[in-house]
Amino acid sequence: MRNLGTSDTPLSEASDYLFLDLDGVCYRGSAPIENAPEGIEAAKANGNQAAFITNNSMASPPNVATKLGSVGIKAVPEEIYTSSRTGVAQTLEHVPAGSKVLALGTEGLFYELEQVDLEVVASADDKPDVVLQGMSKDLSWRELSEAALAIRAGALYVATNLDATLPQERGQYLGCGSMVAAVVHATGVQPLSSGKPAPDMYRLAMKESGATNPICVGDRLDTDIAGANAADLPSLHVLTGVNTARDIMLAAEYERPTFLGLDMLDLNIQIPNVEREGDEWVCGETRVRIDGESIVVDGEELTTPVLALNAYRALVGAVWHEIDAGRSREDFDWLPQFTVVRDV
């Protein structure tokens, strides 16, 4: 059973490193996210350093650092952990230096391969030791076929990540995992993968940064938060990206975050404990209970789907308790999509 965590001080005073997701946390597409730069700078003033951890394998760390700078967030390439970086590191755990790699991807993957002693080849006829597949929007039938031929000939198969979709302006496009699925279907071989929700990205960041008590910040439950849980690290979920307050309430246990916030300002503001008192759940001065298919906040039935931040936290505690006690998630189909604000 995974419940909400407790912290007597702001998270940035209890941690030494921020492990930050990118899209949905630091920026949204190419647009800035409100309070992200301010939240990060305040956390740094409290003694934290930052590492940026993303399943995106397409962009190189220098380009990611430049993009972060364009939205007001300071970063250097060494602080950027893409799934290409961790995919190459994972590859080197299984093959010796100098091995041949058939690489499918873009400049982000080839940038990382240039940093290590691996020989990049383009054909199965070169007898590669490894097929390393990253995301590419231009990946062709011919390239996928070369990968399948090499894997059938015995090459180790490694994928940077297994994301089924890639968020774009028009919606959810095919992600790396969807193109990996074509190779898996052709070969019957499942790849190794370091991308979230695997714990590898967080563990590599800890090893290389020297972090001892990081806080992982993410917007997606199935990658950022599940990956932090797999690495046994605390997480802060923020409502600036993909998953909503309702999603948090109905989250599977392995996707439940440790702490709940609105945005990255909450790294530096004390997060009150969520505690049960009788049939109510209390967070700060706010009391919440579930009454049938109604929500009661401080003694009054909630009539609009707007929750103050502490009421949101308390309601999450209440719903998780009901589910853990045996109530099905389908019993909560009546829950609306909530808007969460700092003050009502």
Side-chain angles (χ1 to χ4, degrees), residues 54-58 82-88 90-91 104-105 108-109 112 131-136 157-163 176-177 180 191-196 198 200-201:
T54 175
N55 269 8
N56 187 335
S57 66
M58 293 187 289
T82 68
S83 61
S84 285
R85 179 173 175 175
T86 58
V88 169
Q90 185 176 48
T91 297
L104 286 67
L109 181 59
E112 297 297 344
V131 171
L132 177 54
Q133 184 175 345
M135 176 64 190
S136 171
Y157 188 20
V158 180
T160 58
N161 70 80
L162 299 176
D163 291 356
C176 185
V180 164
L192 301 173
S193 180
S194 64
K196 297 177 282 185
D200 305 60
M201 304 187 80

Side-chain angles (χ1 to χ4, degrees), residues 5 8 19 23 104-105 107 117 126 140 143 155 179 191 210 218 222 224 234 237 246 266 275 291 299 317 323 331 333:
D8 294 331
F19 285 176
D23 210 338
L104 286 67
E107 57 103 12
D117 184 11
D126 295 313
S140 69
E143 290 173 296
M179 287 182 278
D222 60 348
D224 308 326
H237 180 269
R246 187 181 190 277
D266 291 295
E275 299 175 322
D291 187 3
I323 290 172
D331 285 346
D333 285 347

